[in-house]
């Protein structure tokens, strides 16, 4: 469902990011407003680091529901807010700001969004999980998996960052050459390897995992990364990050409006946007 922008809608939410034009969030949230019967609008704004304080201050106005934050603001925005959820505080990154009566609360819906996408994909719950990466997305993944009792190994190009992340959020750091791959039942790519690079993989030599393993790549552009191709060639189930993208948006929408719109509405909006190549404003 492609729903037009409502620039003067009485309720409004924003995305602040740099760049912002590639974002699929406007299509998802406009479809959700339409589905919920709410006269709402969603605008993606290109905001650089210098402009963030003023953009965030603007969220305190009546009628503003809040905002999503993407690169490069997820880790710098907490200092501009009144309050953080426990998840956002532990992860150290905010992707959703919720406005209420002039106060701004920061949340992180990437973490529960990943868990919801893994549940949809029927991910194995026991066994060993590996998270690839050590940036904000990896922090959300390790936090989420640790909260749900997973045994987590962190593997990152810069090993010292994997060690620091594991020391802070739980789990252990591992080297790709020596990780106990055959015991791994869940592999989550939270690195940006493969993003807009169909031949780039965070694991150029794909390891032999447990045969029940699910490979989940947070990257969704391209829809089939080299990691996903390698996993499928090894006979494993593999999913890209569109499900997580839809779920993190659904959770943000519920936090703003109190309405739980089915994830299928967000997924259909993503499919429609991908099919038309429709860029966000
Ligand atoms: N599906 C979703 O809803 C969703 C949500 C959030 C994020 N994401 C995706 O998750 C990815 C990571 O986001 P982020 O915010 O965590 O980024 P980030 O903070 O910039 O971290 C990037 C991580 O990727 C690693 N990396 C980059 N290029 C690599 C390569 N060629 N080979 C191996 N490792 C590489 C970096 O390693 P070093 O430490 O060595 O630099 C770093 O650990 C992005 O692709 C983003 O689009 C998806």
């Amino acid at each position: 469902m492609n729903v037009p922008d409502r620039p003067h809608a009485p309720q409004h939410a924003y995305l602040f990011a740099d760049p912002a034009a590639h974002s699929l969030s406007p299509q998802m949230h406009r479809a959700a407003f339409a589905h919920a019967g709410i006269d709402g609008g969603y605008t993606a704004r290109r905001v650089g680091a210098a402009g963030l304080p003023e953009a965030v201050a603007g969220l305190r106005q009546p009628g503003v529901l809040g905002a999503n934050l993407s690169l490069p603001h997820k880790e710098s925005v907490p200092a501009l807010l009144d309050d953080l959820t426990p998840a956002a505080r532990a992860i150290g990154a905010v992707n959703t700001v919720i406005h209420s009566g002039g106060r701004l609360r920061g949340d992180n819906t990437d973490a529960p969004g990943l868990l919801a996408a893994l549940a949809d994909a029927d991910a194995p719950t026991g066994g060993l999980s590996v998270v690839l990466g050590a940036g904000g997305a990896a922090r959300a993944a390790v936090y989420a998996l640790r909260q749900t009792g997973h045994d987590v190994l962190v593997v990152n190009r810069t090993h010292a960052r994997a060690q620091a992340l594991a020391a802070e959020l739980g789990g252990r750091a591992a080297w790709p050459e020596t990780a106990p791959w055959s015991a791994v039942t869940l592999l989550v790519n939270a690195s940006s390897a493969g993003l807009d690079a169909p031949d780039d993989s965070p694991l150029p030599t794909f390891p032999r995992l447990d045969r029940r393993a699910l490979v989940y790549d947070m990257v969704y552009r391209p829809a089939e990364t080299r990691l996903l191709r390698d996993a499928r060639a090894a006979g494993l189930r593999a999913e890209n990050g569109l499900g997580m993208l839809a779920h993190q948006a659904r959770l943000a929408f519920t936090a703003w409006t109190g309405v739980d719109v089915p994830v299928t509405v967000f997924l259909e909006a993503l499919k429609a946007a991908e099919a038309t190549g429709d860029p966000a404003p």
Side-chain angles (χ1 to χ4, degrees), residues 149-169:
H150 283 255
D151 188 10
V152 180
L153 290 180
V154 186
V155 173
N156 187 47
R157 180 175 64 179
T158 307
H159 185 70
R161 292 190 73 202
Q163 286 178 310
L165 193 166
E168 196 182 336
L169 291 175

Side-chain angles (χ1 to χ4, degrees), residues 71 74-75 110 132-139 156-159 161 189-195 200-202 216-220 240-246 248:
L71 223 69
K74 287 185 185 183
E75 285 157 50
D110 283 336
L132 303 174
R139 292 179 64 86
N156 187 47
R157 180 175 64 179
T158 307
H159 185 70
R161 292 190 73 202
N189 178 34
S191 83
S192 42
L195 178 64
D200 197 6
S201 170
Y216 193 86
D217 197 339
M218 284 196 196
V219 173
Y220 48 85
N240 70 24
L242 281 175
M244 176 179 172
L245 185 69
Q248 63 76 28

Side-chain angles (χ1 to χ4, degrees), residues 19-268:
H22 67 289
S23 174
L24 299 171
S25 292
Q27 287 90 335
M28 288 194 288
H29 286 290
R30 288 176 200 157
F33 281 127
H35 185 273
I38 296 172
D39 193 1
Y42 187 103
T43 305
R45 279 182 51 194
R46 183 176 180 185
V47 174
L52 188 65
E54 193 185 336
V56 170
L59 298 177
R60 298 179 191 273
Q61 290 168 20
V64 177
L65 297 167
N68 288 132
L69 283 305
S70 192
L71 223 69
H73 303 311
K74 287 185 185 183
E75 285 157 50
S76 54
V77 78
L80 302 170
L81 306 176
D82 302 306
D83 187 22
L84 298 176
T85 61
R89 183 169 291 112
I91 295 164
V94 163
N95 76 330
T96 302
V97 174
I98 302 139
H99 173 223
S100 174
R103 287 183 63 79
L104 300 178
R105 179 161 224 233
D107 195 5
N108 188 307
T109 66
D110 283 336
L114 171 64
L115 292 180
L118 291 176
D120 286 352
D122 204 13
T125 46
L128 186 62
S129 302
V130 167
V131 172
L132 303 174
R139 292 179 64 86
V142 172
Y143 173 83
L145 293 172
R146 293 287 297 157
Q147 287 280 305
T148 45
H150 283 255
D151 188 10
V152 180
L153 290 180
V154 186
V155 173
N156 187 47
R157 180 175 64 179
T158 307
H159 185 70
R161 292 190 73 202
Q163 286 178 310
L165 193 166
E168 196 182 336
L169 291 175
R172 290 163 286 145
W175 298 93
E177 296 79 13
T178 53
W181 291 111
S182 62
V184 171
T185 53
L186 176 62
L187 174 64
V188 176
N189 178 34
S191 83
S192 42
L195 178 64
D196 290 328
D199 297 323
D200 197 6
S201 170
L203 291 174
T205 304
F206 190 79
R208 189 183 288 265
L209 307 183
D210 184 291
R211 62 185 172 74
R212 295 163 299 168
L214 172 74
V215 176
Y216 193 86
D217 197 339
M218 284 196 196
V219 173
Y220 48 85
R221 254 194 201 121
E224 187 166 67
T225 58
R226 180 175 156 196
L227 183 74
L228 295 183
R229 284 200 307 276
D230 288 349
R232 289 183 183 126
L236 301 175
R237 294 186 303 129
E239 291 280 340
N240 70 24
L242 281 175
M244 176 179 172
L245 185 69
H247 275 292
Q248 63 76 28
R250 177 182 67 83
L251 293 162
F253 189 85
T254 303
W256 293 330
T257 63
V259 181
D260 189 1
V261 169
V263 73
T264 47
V265 171
F266 295 84
L267 285 167
E268 289 299 324

